[in-house]
Amino acid sequence: MKKKVLICLLLLQGVVYGQNIHEAFKPGEWLKFRIHYGFLNASYATLHVKTDSVRDTPVYHVVGRGKTTGFASIFFKVDDTYESYFDMEDGKPYRFIRKIDEGGYTKDIEINFDYQKKEALLDDKKNDKKFNFDLQNNIQDLVSGFYYLRNNYRPEDLEIGKSIQLNMLYDDDGIFKFRLKFLGKEILRTKFGKVECLMFRPYVQAGRVFKEQESLTLWVSNDLNLIPIRIKADLAVGSLKADLDGYNGLKHQFKIIMD
């Protein structure tokens, strides 16, 4: 459980086509997730879309937070914040901030993407180290990638069993190929009613956190919003489940199946 809840929520969706097919979100969108670790109602996580500017360029500013609450915090304390500033037109990231404290496992990282120099500067503030990475095509950070994919794929073009990839950078491990496999569709019962979902399986790194590469399953609403509805994960120790618990400011109507 040391690997943050927000990573599970953010490694979602998509097939990349380069240009926006539709806008799936707008400023003011707010999503709240209830996280269960085993039998414990372990924590909550939120994602909030705002606006800002970076070097006079208008950007979306998304803030993601995750925190343990109640009884679970006695056993394992989590206090994570992720922030991303990315372009309103093409979704490319300009700045990424990652501050986490997970049971004493801490990180304080900021990445600035410079497209003129074609490099990303990663500042590890905790260890007072800096890293340079050459920018690659379709580079995304952990947060911007989620919103980029929401805006750049068509569910009708997905093929069951086929995987997609995206270049991603959010840690000093460097740029890696994020891969996601489409599993099909499923109707879930939620606190809001029945929701038709697209199912995905991201390939994660087996070891300290996850049991194996295909330990995550993700469900995303099959509507114009494409918001995460549920995630299940088999961890190295125990299991995790996250459900959408609240929302506000959606750009499109949330599609609920009426009996």
Side-chain angles (χ1 to χ4, degrees), residues 2-217:
K2 284 186 178 180
K3 206 74 170 178
K4 65 240 79 38
V5 168
L6 287 173
I7 280 187
C8 298
L9 292 168
L10 291 168
L11 291 175
L12 300 185
Q13 279 128 296
V15 171
V16 178
Y17 288 93
Q19 298 295 326
N20 287 353
I21 295 166
H22 69 270
E23 291 288 338
F25 60 90
K26 65 179 181 179
E29 181 187 86
W30 176 85
L31 305 174
K32 180 182 179 182
F33 303 90
R34 183 190 296 265
I35 316 299
H36 297 270
Y37 180 64
F39 65 91
L40 295 174
N41 177 22
S43 62
Y44 289 93
T46 59
L47 290 167
H48 189 191
V49 182
K50 307 176 182 181
T51 58
D52 208 325
S53 63
V54 174
R55 296 185 290 275
D56 298 323
T57 300
V59 296
Y60 288 115
H61 175 201
V62 174
V63 180
R65 290 195 170 94
K67 194 169 185 177
T68 48
T69 58
F71 192 65
S73 62
I74 299 174
F75 299 97
F76 191 84
K77 197 168 185 176
V78 172
D79 190 356
D80 293 352
T81 298
Y82 291 81
E83 297 184 60
S84 179
Y85 300 76
F86 55 91
D87 197 279
M88 288 185 170
E89 295 298 323
D90 58 17
K92 65 184 180 184
Y94 291 101
R95 183 180 301 145
F96 173 69
I97 297 169
R98 180 185 179 203
K99 294 182 179 181
I100 66 171
D101 185 347
E102 299 165 352
Y105 177 79
T106 62
K107 278 185 177 288
D108 187 356
I109 286 173
E110 180 173 328
I111 304 174
N112 285 282
F113 298 83
D114 190 327
Y115 297 97
Q116 289 187 336
K117 294 182 179 180
K118 296 184 179 180
E119 67 177 15
L121 175 62
L122 187 150
D123 186 358
D124 181 348
K125 297 180 180 180
K126 174 186 173 183
N127 298 306
D128 194 23
K129 294 181 179 180
K130 290 181 170 57
F131 303 84
N132 283 308
F133 299 99
D134 293 332
L135 288 183
Q136 300 179 11
N137 292 332
N138 291 327
I139 190 71
Q140 296 292 328
D141 63 50
L142 186 62
V143 178
S144 68
F146 164 62
Y147 291 89
Y148 178 77
L149 291 172
R150 285 176 67 189
N151 270 354
N152 289 275
Y153 82 87
R154 294 173 293 195
E156 60 269 23
D157 288 337
L158 295 171
E159 293 184 46
I160 294 176
K162 296 289 184 179
S163 297
I164 55 91
Q165 341 190 95
L166 185 65
N167 294 319
M168 192 170 287
L169 174 65
Y170 70 90
D171 207 342
D172 56 17
D173 292 335
I175 297 170
F176 72 99
K177 295 285 186 183
F178 169 60
R179 292 198 298 147
L180 194 71
K181 181 166 67 175
F182 179 55
L183 303 180
K185 298 179 182 178
E186 184 177 354
I187 295 175
L188 295 184
R189 291 185 179 273
T190 74
K191 65 178 289 185
F192 310 104
K194 292 181 181 178
V195 179
E196 183 177 76
C197 296
L198 307 171
M199 296 175 60
F200 297 94
R201 180 154 293 153
Y203 290 85
V204 296
Q205 184 176 0
R208 186 173 64 87
V209 178
F210 299 105
K211 271 188 176 181
E212 51 191 48
Q213 279 194 326
E214 298 190 42
S215 292
L216 283 177
T217 306

Side-chain angles (χ1 to χ4, degrees), residues 216-228:
L216 283 177
T217 306
L218 306 155
W219 289 261
V220 179
S221 64
N222 188 18
D223 59 15
L224 295 178
N225 296 298
L226 299 167
I227 57 175

